[in-house]
Amino acid sequence: MAAPNSCKATENPACGLCCTKINNFAVNLADTVILQDVNLHIHCGELTAIIGPNGAGKSTLLKAILGEIPHQGELRFLDAANRSTSAPLVGYVPQHLDFDPGAPISVMDLFGASTSRWPVCWSHRQAQRLNCQTALKRVQASHLLDRRLGKLSGGELQRVLLALALTPIPDLLLLDEPVSGVDQRGMEIFYEMVSDLRHRYDLSIILVSHDLNLMARYADRIVYLNKTVICSGTPAEVFNNDQVIKEFGKIELCPLDVDHSGKGD
Amino acid sequence: MAAYYAWAQNLLPFQWAQYSFMLNALLAVFLVSPLFGILGTMVVNNKMAFFSDAIGHSALTGIAIGVLLGMRDPLAAMLAFSVLLAIGISLVKAHGKSSPDTVIGVFSSTAVALGIVILSRGGGFARYSNFLIGDLLSITVQEILMLLIVLIIVLLFWARFFNQLLLVSVNPSLAGSRGIKVLYIEIIFSVIMAIVVTISIQWVGILIINSLLILPAAAARNIAGNMRQYHVIAVLIAIISGLTGLILSYYWGTATGATIVLCASLFYVLTLWGYAKFN
């Protein structure tokens, strides 16, 4: 599907050569300015977290990147060979699925429907099942293959959706508040997994989150968004910014290794 | 069980099979049941039960328009109107701010009222009451052929678009991120649904056509674990209810469509019991 990409094929630590540029994004809905002058530069192998108050336009920005909401400005993706495209392969993990838990959709159905044209109501081909299994293994969820979506726990569903967003490995991965309804431990496991996958597949990740403490730990860069980019930089830079402190209070920056002592995993 | 044996013994001489209208209806059941069983799966998944109901009711307006235009067979007018309504509702739903239920309710009640006002002018509404109940036994060979063509079109659509339809029903944004044109898929599906419902109304009737669409799928989802089982069970339930309803209606002298729906309801109750037992 995607053009062969030397950067991704090698599953090596960040090559840092590919990047995503968002230039002058603006979204207006019925005369109301939702977003304006949004400029972001996202490197591959980096997890960029978008934080901001409710109604700041965080989800809107993701939907604009997805092309679901009309926007001004442009999105450019530069791959390792310096080829530029305005339509990178985007993986998306939605905030929640609005599906009916009683619907007889198995995890395999969801994968088959997303990755092939062979109608899943007819059958699943063996090759498809193997692909799906491989994808689920990336998030330690291969035992969920034939489970009904409605029977998965919040955390299991998020891992399945993450596996789906990584099939095929995208240029850009968008996560919209991906752990709503998951307990604290589940969130940590999820972010550790995302963090690990980012290095392994050299992904550019944009993440919308409300959990600032977790973002302080796992994000490489933080963008404070409120209609436009108020400030951006490393967690240390952003969480020491006066405006951010005014909005959210002081966030403790705890390095990963300190925190691990208590977890014992 | 005694009633079942009595019924089976009654069936063996195949008295009903001597009439050509019954054999026609039998063929029609074998075409309509899988058609409704298959379409129903996605109507239920997309929570579109109210939508298909509205399309069924809008047939009244289609008939009224046909009558105003002086058509002898109002089918063309019914089809045109229901397709326009289906597209209209999809667009308003996609761009409007009200909840889909409200949008559909507004469209549907307006359409029904308009139809009744036109048709009841001069007190002649009784003439059209056969559309309310429908008559499967009146189906002609040409109409059976038309049903066959519709079934083939739906099967082709399913083969090509089912995966996209399923993803849209799970999450439109997720579907969009996979390059699926969500609105386009929704419109094609609702247009196909409008065509199938409208064509079938003369045989099944406005009052119960939606039940025939919803019941087999609603029953199947109680016991299915994936999409394949969902389809197989829905189609089986639709065919078995269709056959049973047809034969029962012959012996009882009742309206065929309604009898079929009653059989399907029975299946729903059974699967509900099965769901409670196995989950």
Side-chain angles (χ1 to χ4, degrees), chain A residues 15-188:
Chain A
C15 67
L17 290 174
C18 39
C19 67
T20 307
K21 278 181 181 161
I22 289 168
N23 294 327
N24 291 315
F25 255 44
V27 174
N28 300 298
L29 287 180
D31 301 336
T32 312
V33 177
I34 310 281
L35 287 174
Q36 59 181 353
D37 296 329
V38 175
N39 292 291
L40 291 174
H41 190 151
I42 293 142
H43 294 280
C44 59
E46 273 190 6
L47 201 165
T48 303
I50 298 179
I51 61 170
N54 285 325
K58 304 186 295 283
S59 288
T60 305
L61 177 61
L62 290 197
K63 290 195 169 170
I65 295 173
L66 277 173
E68 197 178 312
I69 296 178
H71 62 84
Q72 290 146 28
E74 65 159 5
L75 174 82
R76 292 231 68 86
F77 177 80
L78 237 72
D79 72 11
N82 226 12
R83 279 181 300 242
S84 166
T85 169
S86 60
L89 201 56
V90 177
Y92 173 62
V93 179
Q95 194 167 11
H96 52 82
L97 288 185
D98 200 15
F99 76 107
D100 180 348
I105 305 170
S106 68
V107 172
M108 182 62 227
D109 284 333
L110 183 65
F111 265 82
S114 309
T115 54
S116 85
R117 281 196 169 164
W118 185 257
V120 296
C121 56
W122 187 254
S123 68
H124 296 297
R125 288 190 286 196
Q126 199 54 38
Q128 275 294 314
R129 280 185 70 86
L130 288 176
N131 283 345
C132 175
Q133 199 105 48
T134 314
L136 287 172
K137 252 184 213 134
R138 281 187 202 129
V139 298
Q140 283 111 56
S142 46
H143 59 292
L144 301 176
L145 187 66
D146 289 312
R147 206 79 75 78
R148 239 167 99 148
L149 286 188
K151 295 232 166 109
L152 301 180
S153 72
E156 286 172 336
L157 186 59
Q158 290 303 351
R159 268 147 67 202
V160 166
L161 291 174
L162 177 62
L164 186 61
L166 293 174
T167 317
I169 301 292
D171 298 321
L172 185 61
L173 179 64
L174 306 180
L175 304 160
D176 190 358
E177 196 83 54
V179 282
S180 45
V182 180
D183 58 40
Q184 181 71 23
R185 182 74 193 122
M187 281 159 72
E188 282 168 16

Side-chain angles (χ1 to χ4, degrees), chain B:
Chain B
M1 283 316 264
Y4 169 73
Y5 288 130
W7 172 75
Q9 277 155 6
N10 237 334
L11 179 68
L12 281 173
F14 293 118
Q15 187 203 356
W16 54 269
Q18 290 158 12
Y19 300 100
S20 61
F21 67 83
M22 281 300 283
L23 293 178
N24 283 349
L26 189 66
L27 258 181
V29 161
F30 272 110
L31 295 173
V32 167
S33 306
L35 192 58
F36 276 52
I38 292 172
L39 271 183
T41 57
M42 274 337 245
V43 172
V44 173
N45 257 21
N46 280 326
K47 305 186 189 95
M48 285 167 84
F50 192 34
F51 181 90
S52 56
D53 200 40
I55 295 294
H57 283 78
S58 78
L60 272 178
T61 323
I63 298 164
I65 293 170
V67 169
L68 280 184
L69 293 176
M71 294 174 163
R72 211 153 43 85
D73 181 1
L75 184 62
M78 287 161 72
L79 277 176
F81 185 75
S82 69
V83 166
L84 282 181
L85 187 72
I87 296 175
I89 293 177
S90 305
L91 289 177
V92 172
K93 219 172 75 178
H95 297 295
K97 288 190 172 62
S98 322
S99 92
D101 272 8
T102 314
V103 173
I104 295 166
V106 167
F107 270 94
S108 159
S109 31
T110 311
V112 172
L114 183 65
I116 294 178
V117 164
I118 298 174
L119 291 176
S120 64
R121 220 173 22 145
F125 188 76
R127 248 183 304 155
Y128 305 102
S129 61
N130 58 333
F131 279 102
L132 294 183
I133 298 172
D135 185 6
L136 188 64
L137 303 186
S138 73
I139 198 165
T140 65
V141 177
Q142 287 95 318
E143 288 168 337
I144 291 175
L145 212 63
M146 178 165 73
L147 270 183
L148 178 66
I149 293 168
V150 172
L151 178 62
I152 292 172
I153 291 173
V154 168
L155 288 178
L156 287 177
F157 173 74
W158 233 241
R160 171 69 184 79
F161 288 104
F162 179 78
N163 287 357
Q164 305 192 6
L165 209 53
L166 178 66
L167 267 196
V168 171
S169 86
V170 170
N171 186 298
S173 296
L174 184 66
S177 77
R178 297 245 157 210
I180 295 169
K181 295 184 181 70
V182 175
L183 184 60
Y184 167 77
I185 293 285
E186 279 181 336
I187 288 179
I188 300 182
F189 178 60
S190 48
V191 164
I192 284 187
M193 201 168 75
I195 291 173
V196 170
V197 166
T198 307
I199 283 182
S200 314
I201 267 180
Q202 42 188 323
W203 310 307
V204 185
I206 291 170
L207 292 179
I208 49 165
I209 193 147
N210 201 39
S211 336
L212 206 56
L213 198 57
I214 304 303
L215 275 171
R221 72 199 261 114
N222 283 336
I223 47 176
N226 57 46
M227 278 296 137
R228 182 187 165 90
Q229 289 172 7
Y230 188 28
H231 278 74
V232 170
I233 297 171
V235 169
L236 277 182
I237 289 178
I239 290 179
I240 296 172
S241 327
L243 284 179
T244 320
L246 174 66
I247 294 166
L248 281 179
S249 73
Y250 172 83
Y251 288 105
W252 291 352
T254 49
T256 314
T259 317
I260 292 175
V261 168
L262 271 188
C263 294
S265 318
L266 197 65
F267 270 109
Y268 181 77
V269 174
L270 286 177
T271 56
L272 213 54
W273 176 74
Y275 181 77
K277 200 170 165 156
F278 297 115
N279 281 275

